[in-house]
Amino acid sequence: MSALFPYRQPAQESPAWPFEEARKIIARLERKGGFAKSGKKEVIFETGYGPSGLPHIGTFGEVARTTMVQHAFETLTGGEIPTRLLVFSDDMDGMRKVPDNVPDKAFLEPHLQKPLTVVPNPFGGDYESFGHHNNAMLRRFLDTFGFKYEFASATDYYRAGRFDTVLRRAAERYDDIMAVMLPTLGAERQATYSPFLPISPTTGRVLYVPMKEVNAKDGTITFADEDGRDTTLPVTGGHVKLQWKPDFGMRWAALDIDFEMFGKDHQTNAAIYDRICEILGGVAPEHYVYELFLDENGQKISKSKGNGLTIDEWLTYASPESLALYMFHKPREAKKLYFDVIPRAVDDYLAFLDAFPRQDDKNRLGNPVWHIHAGTPPESEKIAAAGANAPGTQVSFVLLLNLVAVANAEDKGVLWGFLKRYAPGASPETHPRLDALVGYAIRYFRDFVKPKKNYRAPDDVERKALEALAANLAALPENASAEAIQEAVYDVGRAEPRYQDFKAKGATPERPGVSNAWFNALYQVLLGEERGPRFGSFAAIYGIGNAIALIEDALAGRLIARHAAFLAERAPKT
């Protein structure tokens, strides 16, 4: 246990990665003699943003993950140490190319290499520059998700003199910085490289030019401006900015940053950032390197290629919480980020939320929903059948997708008709998260599931089993419980040699278990899917009579015929 910080049990033992990172921050403060002796007023967490484009799914991931570490730190220290999340916009960078998604690319062409907060705003409106517009979009984006943060603009910080002390130190230690940077560059770049990038008084552009003189005493640099004349500028007051690698280290030193995470593409530069921070009198922060996302083909996701999910696309089909869960899981492993991952992420989130109340403190701290909801996850929304004594069923995304399929539903009212018939006390008003999930399921099914369905005809054994299942269901009351329906499904499987499993847990010669082959057949023949929901839960909500009709349609070949007609309608006309 730390001598300087009141670690809280059982958080101090939690293996969850946000707690691991939080403990590293505490160790960093201890190396500095503890929080009180360090002279710090707060522990600062930082994330960076390049406002050359709009916020994207990676921006969400970085802020969400940093927030999780911040909350883990606050938990470990009992909330006795103030913290702050700084979202820093590198909006003084020069615009290196005109983005593709602006209304008039030609309008921006004359402003290449000017700081983004000087480039005119191509979108119109009240924002004075392209950078200001994108910064506003970032803040609106973060506010939508309820993040607690402080926004910081590089332009404002440079111009207000908040970096002046460290920038003058950079002039004094110019040779030390060059000694770090030059070995990382090719011969041609070495000949012209300078960590200082002056803002041309003549053109307003950010200049990548060699220095003719760096005057440490006066805190000035001299260079050839674009008009060919030698020009001297102070390194302070926003007349100069630093190259992006030195800028990382400078910012860490100037602001005394304690933690920052970044993608694997920065990993080779991390040692450079650290060394420059130290040269400029700072102590390098703890940093966490996360893996980059891949598309469905295993290729790195690129904004310019457009080969990955956008934040808007995810939120069209699933909740922000499901996206936060996807970000929480194994950040240091490369993961594919495409539409097919959404249903699993949604149902995993629901499962973790459902498990949380039953867990002890240690396991709760490892449950992703604890980190997603800053320690206070909401209750799961369950629906209970009329007269049921059980706490009810949490409706899964996969179950809703299959309800949409068999009901041919295009609006939420149709699905709510099934849900209310099963659970009369449920409604969009009493179950708002379930209502949102219904909407997500309809959109996702329409765009991704329905076109890919692949119904098949049953073979002779399957036909016999399905006929037996229809008879078993017909013998049940219409309001039979999900458990009773599931038992009827098991009874059919136990009676058919193909589906008997004598190795299953609890199986006996008289009462064998049921193999997955039986359930796979149900999904493939009735739903056109390889996997599906628990059949008893599905049929209880869909209705026993409807489930029997579904079986009859499958046996008569009508499901295959309907889907073939749908695909023919979608086929391009020749």
Side-chain angles (χ1 to χ4, degrees), residues 97 100 295 299-308:
K97 66 176 184 178
D100 292 330
D295 66 12
Q299 300 297 310
K300 176 184 170 183
I301 282 178
S302 164
K303 284 188 290 183
S304 61
K305 290 180 182 177
N307 61 332

Side-chain angles (χ1 to χ4, degrees), residues 43-103:
V43 169
I44 303 177
F45 298 77
E46 184 182 56
T47 67
Y49 166 68
S52 57
L54 298 177
H56 53 87
I57 207 161
T59 309
F60 173 89
E62 194 164 301
V63 177
R65 288 165 169 167
T66 303
T67 298
M68 292 171 187
V69 177
Q70 181 183 15
H71 182 249
F73 175 86
E74 292 169 347
T75 300
L76 283 172
T77 56
E80 296 176 12
I81 297 176
T83 66
R84 179 160 55 109
L85 172 59
L86 192 67
V87 176
F88 199 93
S89 172
D90 292 313
D91 57 17
M92 202 170 169
D93 287 353
M95 184 178 67
R96 297 175 187 174
K97 66 176 184 178
V98 178
D100 292 330
N101 62 345
V102 297

Side-chain angles (χ1 to χ4, degrees), residues 131-150:
H132 286 87
H133 171 271
N134 288 348
N135 285 341
M137 296 305 101
L138 171 67
R139 293 196 296 273
R140 187 173 73 181
F141 173 85
L142 297 177
D143 292 343
T144 298
F145 298 108
F147 290 119
K148 296 179 181 179
Y149 66 95
E150 177 184 323

Side-chain angles (χ1 to χ4, degrees), residues 56-380:
H56 53 87
I57 207 161
T59 309
F60 173 89
E62 194 164 301
V63 177
R65 288 165 169 167
T66 303
T67 298
M68 292 171 187
V69 177
Q70 181 183 15
H71 182 249
F73 175 86
E74 292 169 347
T75 300
L76 283 172
T77 56
E80 296 176 12
I81 297 176
T83 66
R84 179 160 55 109
L85 172 59
L86 192 67
V87 176
F88 199 93
S89 172
D90 292 313
D91 57 17
M92 202 170 169
D93 287 353
M95 184 178 67
R96 297 175 187 174
K97 66 176 184 178
V98 178
D100 292 330
N101 62 345
V102 297
D104 184 358
K105 294 181 71 171
F107 173 71
L108 293 184
E109 289 286 351
H111 303 283
L112 284 169
Q113 302 303 332
K114 289 182 181 178
L116 291 161
T117 44
V118 174
V119 174
N121 179 19
F123 297 101
D126 299 330
Y127 303 112
E128 61 186 271
S129 74
F130 186 38
H132 286 87
H133 171 271
N134 288 348
N135 285 341
M137 296 305 101
L138 171 67
R139 293 196 296 273
R140 187 173 73 181
F141 173 85
L142 297 177
D143 292 343
T144 298
F145 298 108
F147 290 119
K148 296 179 181 179
Y149 66 95
E150 177 184 323
F151 176 78
S153 158
T155 300
D156 293 346
Y157 273 48
Y158 269 101
R159 289 179 179 173
R162 298 189 68 169
F163 294 148
D164 282 0
T165 298
V166 180
L167 289 171
R168 290 184 68 92
R169 195 174 297 150
E172 295 168 2
R173 301 174 186 179
Y174 180 82
D175 291 340
D176 294 335
I177 295 173
M178 290 290 279
V180 172
M181 293 305 306
L182 290 180
T184 70
L185 307 170
E188 184 177 345
R189 188 76 181 94
Q190 286 180 353
T192 61
Y193 182 82
S194 167
F196 291 111
L197 300 178
I199 312 300
S200 169
T202 305
T203 66
R205 288 154 44 105
V206 180
L207 303 182
Y208 292 77
V209 293
M211 297 296 100
K212 293 195 170 184
E213 181 187 11
V214 177
N215 187 318
K217 181 172 179 283
D218 296 338
T220 60
I221 57 170
T222 301
F223 60 97
D225 200 354
E226 293 196 277
D227 60 4
R229 292 184 296 179
D230 283 359
T231 300
T232 299
L233 291 177
V235 298
T236 54
H239 295 93
V240 168
K241 76 174 297 293
L242 292 185
Q243 294 259 16
W244 68 276
K245 292 179 186 178
D247 190 76
F248 244 99
M250 180 279 294
R251 195 166 68 230
W252 287 351
L255 304 178
D256 198 10
I257 301 299
D258 294 284
F259 179 86
E260 180 156 357
M261 64 168 57
F262 37 75
K264 190 178 179 181
D265 50 347
H266 283 271
Q267 189 164 20
T268 56
N269 299 317
I272 296 172
Y273 308 154
D274 287 353
R275 183 66 189 119
I276 289 176
C277 176
E278 292 161 359
I279 287 171
L280 296 177
V283 177
E286 288 297 322
H287 34 71
Y288 183 87
V289 179
Y290 56 83
E291 260 289 0
L292 304 178
F293 291 115
L294 308 175
D295 66 12
E296 58 186 315
N297 298 314
Q299 300 297 310
K300 176 184 170 183
I301 282 178
S302 164
K303 284 188 290 183
S304 61
K305 290 180 182 177
N307 61 332
L309 276 176
T310 67
I311 191 81
D312 288 337
E313 286 170 335
W314 185 292
L315 296 181
T316 298
Y317 305 108
S319 66
E321 293 82 7
S322 65
L323 178 56
L325 173 68
Y326 197 75
M327 297 297 172
F328 175 86
H329 274 315
K330 300 178 180 178
R332 284 187 164 144
E333 290 186 10
K335 293 186 292 186
K336 292 183 178 180
L337 184 61
Y338 62 108
F339 290 105
D340 286 4
V341 307
I342 290 177
R344 173 70 180 272
V346 173
D347 281 346
D348 281 352
Y349 169 77
L350 294 175
F352 283 121
L353 194 64
D354 190 47
F356 187 80
R358 302 189 301 272
Q359 294 176 316
D360 59 22
D361 287 345
K362 181 178 180 181
N363 285 311
R364 284 184 174 186
L365 293 176
N367 188 323
V369 299
W370 188 93
H371 299 272
I372 291 168
H373 295 285
T376 55
E379 292 184 9
S380 61

Side-chain angles (χ1 to χ4, degrees), residues 405-564:
V406 298
N408 199 26
E410 293 292 334
D411 63 72
K412 293 164 74 172
V414 174
L415 257 67
W416 268 108
F418 290 108
L419 296 171
K420 287 181 176 181
R421 186 199 59 76
Y422 172 76
S427 70
E429 293 71 33
T430 60
H431 291 68
R433 290 200 306 277
L434 176 56
D435 185 53
L437 192 63
V438 167
Y440 293 138
I442 290 172
R443 290 190 290 272
Y444 190 88
F445 175 81
R446 177 194 63 212
D447 294 344
F448 299 106
V449 178
K450 191 172 183 179
K452 295 180 180 178
K453 278 189 171 288
N454 183 25
Y455 293 93
R456 67 171 178 81
D459 62 24
D460 291 343
V461 172
E462 291 165 342
R463 176 174 291 274
K464 176 185 171 185
L466 285 167
E467 290 171 346
L469 177 59
N472 280 11
L473 294 179
L476 294 173
E478 180 62 27
N479 63 349
S481 68
E483 291 74 20
I485 298 172
Q486 190 71 17
E487 194 60 32
V489 178
Y490 280 129
D491 286 343
V492 173
R494 293 188 187 103
E496 172 52 53
R498 177 190 285 186
Y499 303 132
Q500 292 172 348
D501 182 0
F502 293 100
K503 295 181 179 179
K505 184 178 180 181
T508 66
E510 295 76 24
R511 188 177 174 80
V514 180
S515 73
N516 287 334
W518 171 220
F519 298 100
N520 293 341
L522 288 175
Y523 302 143
Q524 293 164 7
V525 174
L526 301 181
L527 302 175
E529 298 284 341
E530 292 298 318
R531 293 176 296 275
R534 183 175 174 84
F535 195 84
S537 299
F538 165 75
I541 293 175
Y542 187 45
I544 288 179
N546 291 327
I548 293 171
L550 180 66
I551 294 170
E552 291 172 346
D553 283 347
L555 294 174
R558 287 189 285 269
L559 298 183
I560 294 175
R562 287 172 195 159
H563 193 61

